[in-house]
Amino acid sequence: IKQYLAAALLHGFLFAPRPPDSITLAVDSLRFGIGGGGVGNSNNDWYLLPSSEDEIGVENMRQVVTDTLNTMSDDKIPLVSFRASPKAVFGSSGGIIDQTISTPPVFSPWKVEPITGARYFVESRANGASSYFKSLSWFAATFDGEEMTRPYLNPLLPTKFRAPRPVIERRAAWGGSRYFYLEDASAYEEPVRSPRESRDSLKLTNIGTWRELPTERLSEGSNWKLWHIPPAKKDFIGLPLPVRPPEPSVECAFVVQLLSSLPSTFTSGQLALANLWLLSFDDAILDLAELGVTAGIAYETSMNTAGLRLSFRGVSQTLPSYVRRFCRRLLQHHVKLLDGSTKISDSVYQRAISDANRSPKISRLQKQQVIDTASEVSEKDVGKQGLFFLRCVNGGYLISQGDVLPNESLKLLGDCEEIFRDFSSADGFAVEPDLRSILYRP
């Protein structure tokens, strides 16, 4: 229940396209009033939805969901369907469970809905409902691969969002600026005495330690470099992100650029194999991607003249973990293609052909060569191309921006360097791209 509330807050407010809080609060106060049943209360709190920290509210919601599921799973309670349209009734009635309806809607057992005047029919399915639906559930699980499962905890979705760590700018009289970040922002103004007095976990105070934010390259002496970009600074180049309200945000973004000059020399056939490698990887990590979507995480992979770019955005609490899992799975993908444990579906080949036909960057002859290659290659061909690219990687960049601290970025940089330790020192493929050339829109 707490994760459902966190997901609602994330997708319905934090990452939703909306005006600034001040405008929203002003409009809501005019529409609903202030205090009592309106916006805010005696403590001037602005409640958007139940908080995951409200233990009493969470328990009440859990009980309601439990009662509802118990009612739905009780075979002794009649299952009822409502149909208001005669066309729908006569066109859809009949079958294994539905009875065939032949009575016109002006006679019994039809009833009239008192408010709208719509006529409807109630059909009891208590007799034999258990055997009917158990059979249907078995068919769905056996042939469609779909079955009801217990709720699970998403490791990428926190039940409580920490306060964002804002960055302030201090301009010098002689020109230039220095940036400082709040290292340990307090989530509360005062201790919480009871669940009903729980504070909004996104409220900031002036309690904490401010440290200077380096804006230049933070690591030297290796093939991996880190660039840390202050959040919400228009004079800094960064990864283009969706438009957000001006308030401090819990969102951050990472770009992992595997550096290699190989893609700039790709033939049409090699380009097709590389695209199949990435598209088949999308299918292989569908489970990870689905967990990430619920947690507000998005990713994108693309080849460019400087190598392979992996871009990510999401909640700063869990995005570094997602990046690590993603990179480890990427290194396993070509291995599974080569040993035959992973198969490429027909939809992947179709997507590769469709992408080639839509691309404005390649000629008609190159498109045909890509289509011919995608129609003939096997999983081993694709795996070999992926391994060939990784062996031609010479280091990488990690670019971080948003609600992420320098020490967190350095930790992720070290993890990436360790993950790609066997594919980071290819001689003859070194390249040092300009940041603007790799920070294009996903």
Side-chain angles (χ1 to χ4, degrees):
I1 298 298
K2 289 182 178 181
Q3 282 201 335
Y4 293 152
L5 290 173
L9 175 64
L10 181 66
H11 296 283
F13 181 72
L14 297 179
F15 286 179
R18 58 182 177 85
D21 286 351
S22 56
I23 296 178
T24 305
L25 182 58
V27 173
D28 287 352
S29 63
L30 292 174
R31 179 180 299 175
F32 304 110
I34 299 178
V39 176
N41 55 20
S42 58
N43 294 327
N44 296 318
D45 290 328
W46 181 24
Y47 293 108
L48 301 175
L49 76 165
S51 171
S52 59
E53 302 172 47
D54 183 357
E55 298 294 341
I56 296 177
V58 169
E59 175 58 27
N60 291 337
M61 294 182 67
R62 188 196 65 80
Q63 188 60 48
V64 169
V65 173
T66 301
D67 294 342
T68 302
L69 293 176
N70 287 334
T71 301
M72 294 172 61
S73 61
D74 190 350
D75 297 336
K76 299 178 181 179
I77 299 178
L79 301 176
V80 181
S81 63
F82 296 88
R83 296 186 177 122
S85 169
K87 181 178 179 181
V89 171
F90 291 108
S92 304
S93 65
I96 299 177
I97 299 176
D98 292 334
Q99 300 176 9
T100 301
I101 307 301
S102 57
T103 307
V106 295
F107 301 108
S108 180
W110 289 88
K111 299 180 181 180
V112 178
E113 200 278 322
I115 297 179
T116 63
R119 295 185 179 273
Y120 65 95
F121 174 80
V122 179
E123 175 188 349
S124 176
R125 297 179 181 173
N127 298 328
S130 175
S131 60
Y132 281 139
F133 284 97
K134 286 181 179 178
S135 299
L136 291 176
S137 176
W138 180 83
F139 273 104
T142 304
F143 296 102
D144 297 335
E146 299 177 357
E147 58 181 328
M148 294 292 290
T149 59
R150 293 181 177 273
Y152 60 89
L153 291 178
N154 187 341
L156 299 174
L157 180 61
T159 57
K160 175 184 175 182
F161 295 105
R162 70 185 175 197
R165 286 76 58 91
V167 171
I168 60 174
E169 179 181 1
R170 181 178 180 182
R171 294 185 178 274
W174 55 87
S177 300
R178 298 172 65 187
Y179 297 89
F180 297 85
Y181 63 90
L182 188 58
E183 188 176 50
D184 53 350
S186 174
Y188 305 105
E189 286 186 341
E190 59 187 36
V192 177
R193 292 184 291 273
S194 70
R196 293 186 179 275
E197 297 178 358
S198 62
R199 297 285 183 174
D200 186 355
S201 61
L202 300 179
K203 188 177 294 183
L204 289 175
T205 71
N206 57 1
I207 302 174
T209 303
W210 291 87
R211 299 188 184 277
E212 186 167 2
L213 172 70
T215 58
E216 297 180 355
R217 200 162 55 193
L218 297 182
S219 62
E220 298 288 350
S222 72
N223 289 341
W224 281 83
K225 303 294 185 292
L226 170 65
W227 298 87
H228 194 94
I229 302 172
K233 299 302 177 183
K234 296 181 180 180
D235 53 342
F236 277 85
I237 182 176
L239 185 70
L241 298 175
V243 177
R244 304 296 190 202
E247 291 84 21
S249 172
V250 297
E251 186 177 30
C252 73
F254 293 108
V255 173
V256 178
Q257 175 72 37
L258 301 180
L259 298 175
S260 174
S261 60
L262 179 64
S264 61
T265 64
F266 272 166
T267 64
S268 299
Q270 290 175 318
L271 179 61
L273 289 170
N275 287 336
L276 284 171
W277 176 52
L278 295 179
L279 290 174
S280 61
F281 180 63
D282 290 338
D283 274 12
I285 61 165
L286 185 60
D287 56 334
L288 180 63
E290 288 178 343
L291 291 175
V293 167
T294 307
I297 295 175
Y299 80 90
E300 179 256 2
T301 61
S302 61
M303 288 285 182
N304 52 42
T305 56
L308 172 62
R309 190 188 82 162
L310 314 173
S311 60
F312 311 87
R313 63 175 173 85
V315 180
S316 59
Q317 282 173 259
T318 56
L319 189 60
S321 174
Y322 185 90
V323 174
R324 288 189 287 268
R325 297 180 189 208
F326 187 97
C327 293
R328 292 191 185 102
R329 296 278 292 269
L330 178 65
L331 290 187
Q332 297 171 0
H333 185 54
H334 72 273
V335 177
K336 294 182 178 181
L337 288 173
L338 291 173
D339 64 19
S341 59
T342 294
K343 300 296 183 181
I344 299 179
S345 64
D346 292 338
S347 62
V348 171
Y349 292 107
Q350 294 171 2
R351 291 205 305 269
I353 294 174
S354 177
D355 291 346
N357 285 328
R358 292 199 307 264
S359 176
K361 299 180 180 180
I362 57 178
S363 65
R364 182 177 300 178
L365 178 60
Q366 290 175 316
K367 290 181 180 181
Q368 188 59 48
Q369 291 174 340
V370 170
I371 293 172
D372 293 340
T373 302
S375 303
E376 299 172 355
V377 297
S378 64
E379 285 83 1
K380 288 188 176 181
D381 296 326
V382 176
K384 289 178 181 178
Q385 180 62 38
L387 177 59
F388 177 55
F389 169 78
L390 291 173
R391 286 176 173 173
C392 296
V393 171
N394 187 282
Y397 283 171
L398 173 64
I399 304 168
S400 63
Q401 68 182 78
D403 182 43
V404 57
L405 303 184
N407 60 335
E408 296 169 347
S409 298
L410 284 170
K411 175 66 169 60
L412 183 58
L413 176 71
D415 294 336
C416 289
E417 191 170 4
E418 174 65 21
I419 292 171
F420 293 102
R421 62 186 181 277
D422 296 330
F423 302 102
S424 295
S425 56
D427 295 332
F429 294 93
V431 60
E432 292 189 9
D434 181 74
L435 286 184
R436 296 181 186 274
S437 65
I438 60 177
L439 290 178
Y440 48 85
R441 185 175 299 276

